[in-house]
Every structure is written in structure tokens, then in C-alpha cells.
Amino acid sequence: MRPLSKRILALSLSTALASVGLVGLSQSAGAADSQPQPQPQPEPLPLPDSIPAPRDVPFGGTIRLSVDATDLARHIMTVHETVPVPAALAATGGDLPLFYPMWLPGDHSPTGALDQFGGLVVKAGGVTLPWLRDNVTVSAFHIPVPKGAHTVDVSFQLLSPVSREEGRVVMTPEMLNVQWNAVALYPAGYFTRQIPVEASLRLPTGWQYGTALRAQGKAGDVVTFKPVTFNTLVDSPLFAGRYFRRIDLAPGAAVPVALNLVADKPGELEVSDAQIAAHRALVTQANLLYGSHHYDHYDFLLALTEELGGIGLEHHQSSENSGPRGYFTEWDKTFATRDLLAHEYTHSWNGKYRRPAGLWAPNFNTPQRGTGLWVYEGQTQYWGYVLAARAGLMTAPQVIEALAEVGAVYDTRRGRTWRPLIDTTNDPVIARRAPLSWRSWQRSEDYYSEGQLIWLDADTLIRQLSGGKHSLDDVARHFFGTNDGSFITSTYEFDDVVKALNDIQPYDWATFLRKRLDETSEHAPLDGFTRGGYRLVYTDQPNKYVGSFASVRHVEDFAFSLGLTIGKGGTLGNVEWGSPAWQAGITRDAKVIAVNGEAYDPDVLREAIVEAKDAHAAPIALLLQEGDRYVTVSVPYHGGLRYPHLERVEGKPDMLAAILAPRH
């Protein structure tokens, strides 16, 4: 039989199905067969093999690190490293992960300059190896070491910022700052205290340097330093400069301390005998306070500059600091910057020797936890002011003016009503010290200066409870003065701080601290002022500390009147949440062009604020430039100029005078 055509066959089949009522079923079945299958849902890719966790075992070799820092014009440091291959890996070949340091002690956040890292080339036996960046931990580089290779040669560049727009400038025509963490890779899988390094540095011809490292030789412009462990290397930065001066701050002492100065101009290195005496007194007063030291030498590094990026960073046997050009030559004007050295020096005891357990890590790529920063930074901020006064770097009245400003700032900080102080210890990771739109509402690293107020509160309370027999000085010696001469970090937790306070003066210190750390509040902890014989007041007379700070930072401070600060060229740097300026809709980064129709000048604005004090006066009219727009804003403020001061309370002992007086 001849086969039927497809059309006839289809019609015959349809007729047959219809006869038994199955036509619709057949059509449905066909439709179902033509539907696409359900699309599978995505599933996660497995993470790559984890990078070896750090182990507290010897690395088994010494890294040779060479840095060329002579390319000042292009701001480039060129790096070469020879990294030993562990014996077991050399026998088989395989993966050698190298880390670029990210979590740096003192920064409290992953601030490693990975974005400035470039030009990586790795070789073994002269053969280039195809390195691979870890695509999860992007600061790690996997090196495929061939069997039998006992070293790898690593080369790269630090492409440091050429202007402030790209980050902190570390190279100028007159000076440079070498931070070894920015110019070194290190092997994963080891505690950094187990990795020896021998570093060398090529400097511009004729330049001198300061560092806590000690040289073992020099050939031309290349200095080679004595081998140290990798954690000590990172903790020992270097300042070098065309204009350099070194001042002995502990003449004749068994443990040397030096002030290493670099400057934009040679005239900035002219230091008087009285100024040297004040810096020497800082060393004396710190030793009297703590009754110990945790270094075998100490080097202050101080750059007097408007070109190198600003810094204040602590290290165990040194500190990196920058100050204004007039630090010495305009001594009467720059006192607001002179607690910095006292602050960073204190960190040798508080922060480097004694450290919150969450802020110690076995290497520089393990996350840190900053819960204890209210001690690490807050108490250091307190001792920075106290030691500056005791040494004569600042006068007691200047420090009292500074404390008034601190009290006023945190007493009016609106963000304290929603965010407790302890949460600000997360801010180094959250904000990375980037500018904030509304700092007074968002809060920032408030554990520094509000922490300072808490420790003033504690100091005055100890003095009151003990009838003047004890003070926070005794707690500092008891807590930070242990193991004299030891470099080994001693960690602590909250209960250890409470115990130290109770050892000196029994009290419910746990509740005292938890209330101030964990609870929100309308006002700052100002009991230290009132107990110490003072009250916070506002007058129309300028606060001298505010004036000094504003002069150094080139800002005009109207924070406690209109609620704003103004930088160079009239640009608004900050607007206080809830202030008259805020109520008028003013925001930071706008530019003040005119005040009441007159071209902006700080004195013109001050006069306008004074004239508007009459309740019947017209609002202050500010012409602002916001990008390409010009707007006129009326600020109905009639409170006059307001500056914070501490006023003595009659009949109460002057504890602040006692706290700030030098020890003998």
C-alpha cells in the first residue's frame, strides 16, 4: 500500500481521536511537548582554595628588600625583593602566595596602598613566572614556583600620588616618607614576627634620614639596614630630606631618644634652646608618668611642611608626624599642633606595648577589631594634652582652652542621640576617614576626643574618691608600666581595664564605663569639668586654641554661632546638624561669595553676626555658589559670636591645675 500524505494522515488521525473525545487531549499534549523546560536557578561558584593561615613558625630564610626612592619628579619608588622559597615547596614546586600589607596598626582599617601598586614581575632562575592575583583576596598574589627553585625575584613600583587629589603625597623635591608596608610583599602562612628582612634604600644624593632602623652599612647613596623581622620593618618608617636636623632629646641617657626633623625650607630648622628643652621635658615627663619604657631607642620623625601629606602615626620605637612650617619659627601661633608628639609618644606604651586584643593580629592581612579604641586612642588623647602641658609644649591655660573646645564640640554633636560612642570604634573601617556630608550627625572617630573626656572624668573621680591620694597617673603606671624594657606586645580586654582601675581605686568602674560607651545621650560626659572645678560657658571672646588651630588649618570657625566652618577661598568645610546654617538649608562644599551684599571676608562675616545680635535685626544674607548655581540664603540668627571657655567655679579645688602641673 502506498503511504498516505502527511496532510491526509493528520486528518485521519484527528477524525479517529474525535470519535473517542480525545482531540483536545492530543492538542494539549502536543502543546506541552513544545514548552521549554524550566530554566535552572544560578548556583554560587565555589570559592578558591583558602590562602594558608599564618602560623607561628620560622619562615626559614631572609628576604632581601631593595628600594630606590630617587625618582622624585615622577613620585615613583622602585622595588626589588629576593624571597626565599621554603624548603618543602622548593622540593616539589607549587604555589607561593605573597601578600601586599593591608591592615596597618595605627590606621585601624585596611588602608594598604594597593591602588598604587604596579609593574609586578616575578622570576625564578631568570625565567619569568606567570603570577596570578587571588580574585577574592585581591592583596594576595599566587606565584607558581618551579620545582628546585630556592628563591624568587620580585620587582614592582609604588606609584605614589603626584598630588593631593590622588591621596597622601609621600615624595616632594625636598623630602620623602618611606613606609615599608607600601614597598614590600611578604609570604602568607607565617606570623610576620617570624619573617626576617634585610632592607636597603637608595636616597637622593646628599639627603639625610631618620628612622628607628639602624644601619649596618652605606655605599654611596645606598644605606643597608640591620636585619629585622617583617613586623618590625613595617613598624619602622623613614623620613628623609634635603634639609635635615637631628636633636638629642635624652643626652647622656642609657636609652637614646632623638627628634629627626625634615623641612620644606632650611630656615624652619632653626630651633631655640627653650624649644629643645620643652621637647626634652616631654621625654622626662613621659618616663615619670609610666615609670618604664618599651624601646631600646626612640626616634620622633617630624616633617615641617606644606607639601608632604599630613600624618600622625604611632610606632613602637618611633612616630611619623607632620607639622606646619612655623612649628618652631612661629611658636606662639602654632601651639594647637603641639600635643601631637606627646600623643604619638604615649602610643609606645598605650597602643604598641599594651594593645586591645582585637587590634593585635599575626600579620598585616588579618582584619583587626577596634572595640578597644576608646582606651588605645581615647586615653592617649588625654595624656597627649596632659604631657604637652607638663612638658611646656603647651601652657596649662592653652590646654584648658583646648579642653573647652573639645567639651563644646561633643556636647553639641547631635549624632550622639542615635549612635553610641562604642559604635564609632567601627568608623575607621566604615568611613576610612573620607569627608562626611554631616559629620556632626553621622559621627566619626569620636572615641578619640570624647574618650578623652571620659578619662578626664575618671581621673577627677579617682582623685575625689581617694581624697587626692591617687589619680589616673597611678593607673597608667600600673597598667602600662609593666615589663620595663620589653618590646613584646601585651594585650588586654575590657575586664583588664576595669581591674586596673579597681586596683588603684575601688568603684563600680564597669558600670561607669559601659554607661558612657554603650548608651546614647543628649550631652557629652562633662563631669570631669565640674568635678575638676570648672564649667563650660560661651562668650563672644575668641577661644585661643580654636584660633591657633584655625590659623594652622587655614579655616574660620563659626561652629558655635552660625554652625559652620569656612576654609580657603570661602568654601564651607562643615555644617553642624541642626544649627542655624543647617536650618537655612546650607551644606558643605558651597562657596560663600558675599555677606549682606558685601564681598565675603572673615571679618565681614564676624561683623554681620555681631550686628544681627539685635533680635529685631534682619537675617544674615549669604550669597553662595553651589557648583554652577548662585543662591542667596537668609540665616535668622541673633545669638552673636559664641566661643567656648572653661570658667572656674568658686569654692571648688582646681583639679585641672593639679593634673596639668609637671611631675618631679
PDB file of all heavy atoms in Angstrom, residues 124-148:
ATOM      1  N   ALA A 124      62.203  33.289  38.525  1.00  0.00           N
ATOM      2  CA  ALA A 124      62.953  32.262  39.247  1.00  0.00           C
ATOM      3  C   ALA A 124      64.019  31.735  38.303  1.00  0.00           C
ATOM      4  O   ALA A 124      63.694  31.284  37.185  1.00  0.00           O
ATOM      5  CB  ALA A 124      62.033  31.133  39.706  1.00  0.00           C
ATOM      6  N   GLY A 125      65.280  31.838  38.708  1.00  0.00           N
ATOM      7  CA  GLY A 125      66.362  31.395  37.828  1.00  0.00           C
ATOM      8  C   GLY A 125      66.395  32.125  36.510  1.00  0.00           C
ATOM      9  O   GLY A 125      66.771  31.553  35.482  1.00  0.00           O
ATOM     10  N   GLY A 126      65.975  33.385  36.514  1.00  0.00           N
ATOM     11  CA  GLY A 126      65.971  34.181  35.292  1.00  0.00           C
ATOM     12  C   GLY A 126      64.764  33.973  34.405  1.00  0.00           C
ATOM     13  O   GLY A 126      64.617  34.664  33.386  1.00  0.00           O
ATOM     14  N   VAL A 127      63.888  33.044  34.753  1.00  0.00           N
ATOM     15  CA  VAL A 127      62.694  32.764  33.946  1.00  0.00           C
ATOM     16  C   VAL A 127      61.497  33.485  34.558  1.00  0.00           C
ATOM     17  O   VAL A 127      61.234  33.362  35.762  1.00  0.00           O
ATOM     18  CB  VAL A 127      62.415  31.251  33.888  1.00  0.00           C
ATOM     19  CG1 VAL A 127      61.133  30.966  33.108  1.00  0.00           C
ATOM     20  CG2 VAL A 127      63.605  30.519  33.261  1.00  0.00           C
ATOM     21  N   THR A 128      60.765  34.232  33.745  1.00  0.00           N
ATOM     22  CA  THR A 128      59.593  34.962  34.227  1.00  0.00           C
ATOM     23  C   THR A 128      58.461  33.995  34.545  1.00  0.00           C
ATOM     24  O   THR A 128      58.140  33.110  33.744  1.00  0.00           O
ATOM     25  CB  THR A 128      59.128  35.991  33.183  1.00  0.00           C
ATOM     26  OG1 THR A 128      60.194  36.924  32.942  1.00  0.00           O
ATOM     27  CG2 THR A 128      57.905  36.758  33.680  1.00  0.00           C
ATOM     28  N   LEU A 129      57.859  34.181  35.717  1.00  0.00           N
ATOM     29  CA  LEU A 129      56.763  33.322  36.170  1.00  0.00           C
ATOM     30  C   LEU A 129      55.428  34.042  36.004  1.00  0.00           C
ATOM     31  O   LEU A 129      55.322  35.235  36.311  1.00  0.00           O
ATOM     32  CB  LEU A 129      56.963  32.935  37.641  1.00  0.00           C
ATOM     33  CG  LEU A 129      58.287  32.251  37.987  1.00  0.00           C
ATOM     34  CD1 LEU A 129      58.346  31.956  39.488  1.00  0.00           C
ATOM     35  CD2 LEU A 129      58.454  30.977  37.183  1.00  0.00           C
ATOM     36  N   PRO A 130      54.384  33.351  35.553  1.00  0.00           N
ATOM     37  CA  PRO A 130      53.069  33.986  35.317  1.00  0.00           C
ATOM     38  C   PRO A 130      52.243  34.071  36.609  1.00  0.00           C
ATOM     39  O   PRO A 130      51.376  33.241  36.862  1.00  0.00           O
ATOM     40  CB  PRO A 130      52.416  33.041  34.309  1.00  0.00           C
ATOM     41  CG  PRO A 130      52.962  31.692  34.665  1.00  0.00           C
ATOM     42  CD  PRO A 130      54.378  31.923  35.139  1.00  0.00           C
ATOM     43  N   TRP A 131      52.481  35.083  37.408  1.00  0.00           N
ATOM     44  CA  TRP A 131      51.749  35.253  38.674  1.00  0.00           C
ATOM     45  C   TRP A 131      50.252  35.431  38.428  1.00  0.00           C
ATOM     46  O   TRP A 131      49.831  35.855  37.346  1.00  0.00           O
ATOM     47  CB  TRP A 131      52.306  36.435  39.464  1.00  0.00           C
ATOM     48  CG  TRP A 131      52.246  37.761  38.731  1.00  0.00           C
ATOM     49  CD1 TRP A 131      53.223  38.310  37.975  1.00  0.00           C
ATOM     50  CD2 TRP A 131      51.131  38.664  38.678  1.00  0.00           C
ATOM     51  NE1 TRP A 131      52.806  39.517  37.444  1.00  0.00           N
ATOM     52  CE2 TRP A 131      51.526  39.758  37.864  1.00  0.00           C
ATOM     53  CE3 TRP A 131      49.856  38.673  39.226  1.00  0.00           C
ATOM     54  CZ2 TRP A 131      50.679  40.845  37.596  1.00  0.00           C
ATOM     55  CZ3 TRP A 131      49.013  39.740  38.962  1.00  0.00           C
ATOM     56  CH2 TRP A 131      49.420  40.817  38.159  1.00  0.00           C
ATOM     57  N   LEU A 132      49.464  35.141  39.464  1.00  0.00           N
ATOM     58  CA  LEU A 132      48.011  35.291  39.377  1.00  0.00           C
ATOM     59  C   LEU A 132      47.502  35.935  40.659  1.00  0.00           C
ATOM     60  O   LEU A 132      47.763  35.436  41.758  1.00  0.00           O
ATOM     61  CB  LEU A 132      47.343  33.927  39.184  1.00  0.00           C
ATOM     62  CG  LEU A 132      45.811  33.927  39.103  1.00  0.00           C
ATOM     63  CD1 LEU A 132      45.342  34.604  37.824  1.00  0.00           C
ATOM     64  CD2 LEU A 132      45.282  32.491  39.176  1.00  0.00           C
ATOM     65  N   ARG A 133      46.759  37.032  40.515  1.00  0.00           N
ATOM     66  CA  ARG A 133      46.167  37.678  41.686  1.00  0.00           C
ATOM     67  C   ARG A 133      44.980  36.838  42.184  1.00  0.00           C
ATOM     68  O   ARG A 133      44.166  36.367  41.383  1.00  0.00           O
ATOM     69  CB  ARG A 133      45.688  39.086  41.344  1.00  0.00           C
ATOM     70  CG  ARG A 133      45.199  39.891  42.566  1.00  0.00           C
ATOM     71  CD  ARG A 133      44.473  41.141  42.126  1.00  0.00           C
ATOM     72  NE  ARG A 133      45.316  42.050  41.366  1.00  0.00           N
ATOM     73  CZ  ARG A 133      46.003  43.075  41.888  1.00  0.00           C
ATOM     74  NH1 ARG A 133      45.953  43.302  43.185  1.00  0.00           N
ATOM     75  NH2 ARG A 133      46.733  43.854  41.113  1.00  0.00           N
ATOM     76  N   ASP A 134      44.874  36.675  43.487  1.00  0.00           N
ATOM     77  CA  ASP A 134      43.717  35.993  44.057  1.00  0.00           C
ATOM     78  C   ASP A 134      42.491  36.858  43.816  1.00  0.00           C
ATOM     79  O   ASP A 134      42.491  38.057  44.147  1.00  0.00           O
ATOM     80  CB  ASP A 134      43.939  35.773  45.557  1.00  0.00           C
ATOM     81  CG  ASP A 134      42.951  34.796  46.153  1.00  0.00           C
ATOM     82  OD1 ASP A 134      41.781  35.192  46.367  1.00  0.00           O
ATOM     83  OD2 ASP A 134      43.339  33.651  46.403  1.00  0.00           O
ATOM     84  N   ASN A 135      41.432  36.282  43.222  1.00  0.00           N
ATOM     85  CA  ASN A 135      40.279  37.114  42.871  1.00  0.00           C
ATOM     86  C   ASN A 135      39.277  37.255  44.010  1.00  0.00           C
ATOM     87  O   ASN A 135      38.209  37.832  43.826  1.00  0.00           O
ATOM     88  CB  ASN A 135      39.589  36.601  41.607  1.00  0.00           C
ATOM     89  CG  ASN A 135      39.007  35.205  41.775  1.00  0.00           C
ATOM     90  OD1 ASN A 135      39.038  34.632  42.858  1.00  0.00           O
ATOM     91  ND2 ASN A 135      38.486  34.666  40.688  1.00  0.00           N
ATOM     92  N   VAL A 136      39.617  36.750  45.193  1.00  0.00           N
ATOM     93  CA  VAL A 136      38.835  37.013  46.392  1.00  0.00           C
ATOM     94  C   VAL A 136      39.637  37.909  47.337  1.00  0.00           C
ATOM     95  O   VAL A 136      39.202  38.990  47.713  1.00  0.00           O
ATOM     96  CB  VAL A 136      38.429  35.695  47.090  1.00  0.00           C
ATOM     97  CG1 VAL A 136      37.735  35.988  48.426  1.00  0.00           C
ATOM     98  CG2 VAL A 136      37.512  34.889  46.188  1.00  0.00           C
ATOM     99  N   THR A 137      40.820  37.465  47.693  1.00  0.00           N
ATOM    100  CA  THR A 137      41.732  38.293  48.498  1.00  0.00           C
ATOM    101  C   THR A 137      42.667  38.986  47.527  1.00  0.00           C
ATOM    102  O   THR A 137      43.749  38.487  47.199  1.00  0.00           O
ATOM    103  CB  THR A 137      42.514  37.422  49.496  1.00  0.00           C
ATOM    104  OG1 THR A 137      41.587  36.677  50.287  1.00  0.00           O
ATOM    105  CG2 THR A 137      43.378  38.272  50.402  1.00  0.00           C
ATOM    106  N   VAL A 138      42.278  40.153  47.041  1.00  0.00           N
ATOM    107  CA  VAL A 138      42.986  40.773  45.915  1.00  0.00           C
ATOM    108  C   VAL A 138      44.344  41.343  46.301  1.00  0.00           C
ATOM    109  O   VAL A 138      45.099  41.782  45.438  1.00  0.00           O
ATOM    110  CB  VAL A 138      42.117  41.868  45.256  1.00  0.00           C
ATOM    111  CG1 VAL A 138      40.884  41.270  44.622  1.00  0.00           C
ATOM    112  CG2 VAL A 138      41.739  42.954  46.275  1.00  0.00           C
ATOM    113  N   SER A 139      44.671  41.318  47.586  1.00  0.00           N
ATOM    114  CA  SER A 139      46.006  41.744  48.018  1.00  0.00           C
ATOM    115  C   SER A 139      46.989  40.580  48.033  1.00  0.00           C
ATOM    116  O   SER A 139      48.135  40.752  48.466  1.00  0.00           O
ATOM    117  CB  SER A 139      45.930  42.368  49.413  1.00  0.00           C
ATOM    118  OG  SER A 139      45.371  41.450  50.343  1.00  0.00           O
ATOM    119  N   ALA A 140      46.564  39.405  47.569  1.00  0.00           N
ATOM    120  CA  ALA A 140      47.429  38.228  47.527  1.00  0.00           C
ATOM    121  C   ALA A 140      47.760  37.868  46.082  1.00  0.00           C
ATOM    122  O   ALA A 140      46.900  37.932  45.196  1.00  0.00           O
ATOM    123  CB  ALA A 140      46.753  37.046  48.217  1.00  0.00           C
ATOM    124  N   PHE A 141      49.020  37.480  45.856  1.00  0.00           N
ATOM    125  CA  PHE A 141      49.493  37.105  44.525  1.00  0.00           C
ATOM    126  C   PHE A 141      50.036  35.674  44.589  1.00  0.00           C
ATOM    127  O   PHE A 141      50.905  35.370  45.413  1.00  0.00           O
ATOM    128  CB  PHE A 141      50.584  38.061  44.047  1.00  0.00           C
ATOM    129  CG  PHE A 141      50.118  39.491  43.950  1.00  0.00           C
ATOM    130  CD1 PHE A 141      50.181  40.333  45.047  1.00  0.00           C
ATOM    131  CD2 PHE A 141      49.594  39.976  42.764  1.00  0.00           C
ATOM    132  CE1 PHE A 141      49.739  41.645  44.966  1.00  0.00           C
ATOM    133  CE2 PHE A 141      49.150  41.287  42.675  1.00  0.00           C
ATOM    134  CZ  PHE A 141      49.214  42.121  43.777  1.00  0.00           C
ATOM    135  N   HIS A 142      49.514  34.818  43.725  1.00  0.00           N
ATOM    136  CA  HIS A 142      49.948  33.421  43.685  1.00  0.00           C
ATOM    137  C   HIS A 142      51.127  33.293  42.714  1.00  0.00           C
ATOM    138  O   HIS A 142      51.018  33.649  41.536  1.00  0.00           O
ATOM    139  CB  HIS A 142      48.801  32.518  43.242  1.00  0.00           C
ATOM    140  CG  HIS A 142      47.649  32.513  44.203  1.00  0.00           C
ATOM    141  ND1 HIS A 142      47.639  31.752  45.350  1.00  0.00           N
ATOM    142  CD2 HIS A 142      46.469  33.193  44.199  1.00  0.00           C
ATOM    143  CE1 HIS A 142      46.509  31.947  46.003  1.00  0.00           C
ATOM    144  NE2 HIS A 142      45.778  32.818  45.325  1.00  0.00           N
ATOM    145  N   ILE A 143      52.237  32.752  43.217  1.00  0.00           N
ATOM    146  CA  ILE A 143      53.443  32.591  42.408  1.00  0.00           C
ATOM    147  C   ILE A 143      53.661  31.095  42.156  1.00  0.00           C
ATOM    148  O   ILE A 143      53.856  30.332  43.117  1.00  0.00           O
ATOM    149  CB  ILE A 143      54.676  33.175  43.129  1.00  0.00           C
ATOM    150  CG1 ILE A 143      54.380  34.591  43.655  1.00  0.00           C
ATOM    151  CG2 ILE A 143      55.887  33.145  42.210  1.00  0.00           C
ATOM    152  CD1 ILE A 143      53.995  35.593  42.612  1.00  0.00           C
ATOM    153  N   PRO A 144      53.636  30.629  40.895  1.00  0.00           N
ATOM    154  CA  PRO A 144      53.848  29.203  40.592  1.00  0.00           C
ATOM    155  C   PRO A 144      55.345  28.869  40.593  1.00  0.00           C
ATOM    156  O   PRO A 144      56.024  28.969  39.575  1.00  0.00           O
ATOM    157  CB  PRO A 144      53.235  29.048  39.199  1.00  0.00           C
ATOM    158  CG  PRO A 144      53.430  30.391  38.562  1.00  0.00           C
ATOM    159  CD  PRO A 144      53.347  31.408  39.670  1.00  0.00           C
ATOM    160  N   VAL A 145      55.849  28.459  41.733  1.00  0.00           N
ATOM    161  CA  VAL A 145      57.279  28.206  41.879  1.00  0.00           C
ATOM    162  C   VAL A 145      57.640  26.867  41.231  1.00  0.00           C
ATOM    163  O   VAL A 145      57.028  25.834  41.554  1.00  0.00           O
ATOM    164  CB  VAL A 145      57.673  28.194  43.374  1.00  0.00           C
ATOM    165  CG1 VAL A 145      59.139  27.827  43.539  1.00  0.00           C
ATOM    166  CG2 VAL A 145      57.383  29.544  43.998  1.00  0.00           C
ATOM    167  N   PRO A 146      58.606  26.851  40.328  1.00  0.00           N
ATOM    168  CA  PRO A 146      59.009  25.567  39.732  1.00  0.00           C
ATOM    169  C   PRO A 146      59.805  24.712  40.714  1.00  0.00           C
ATOM    170  O   PRO A 146      60.448  25.235  41.634  1.00  0.00           O
ATOM    171  CB  PRO A 146      59.873  25.992  38.541  1.00  0.00           C
ATOM    172  CG  PRO A 146      60.367  27.355  38.877  1.00  0.00           C
ATOM    173  CD  PRO A 146      59.307  27.996  39.726  1.00  0.00           C
ATOM    174  N   LYS A 147      59.744  23.435  40.539  1.00  0.00           N
ATOM    175  CA  LYS A 147      60.498  22.513  41.380  1.00  0.00           C
ATOM    176  C   LYS A 147      61.985  22.837  41.297  1.00  0.00           C
ATOM    177  O   LYS A 147      62.529  23.086  40.227  1.00  0.00           O
ATOM    178  CB  LYS A 147      60.248  21.072  40.917  1.00  0.00           C
ATOM    179  CG  LYS A 147      60.958  20.012  41.740  1.00  0.00           C
ATOM    180  CD  LYS A 147      60.623  18.617  41.221  1.00  0.00           C
ATOM    181  CE  LYS A 147      61.356  17.545  42.015  1.00  0.00           C
ATOM    182  NZ  LYS A 147      61.032  16.177  41.539  1.00  0.00           N
ATOM    183  N   GLY A 148      62.625  22.872  42.459  1.00  0.00           N
ATOM    184  CA  GLY A 148      64.055  23.146  42.514  1.00  0.00           C
ATOM    185  C   GLY A 148      64.420  24.605  42.672  1.00  0.00           C
ATOM    186  O   GLY A 148      65.596  24.943  42.892  1.00  0.00           O
TER     187      GLY A 148
END
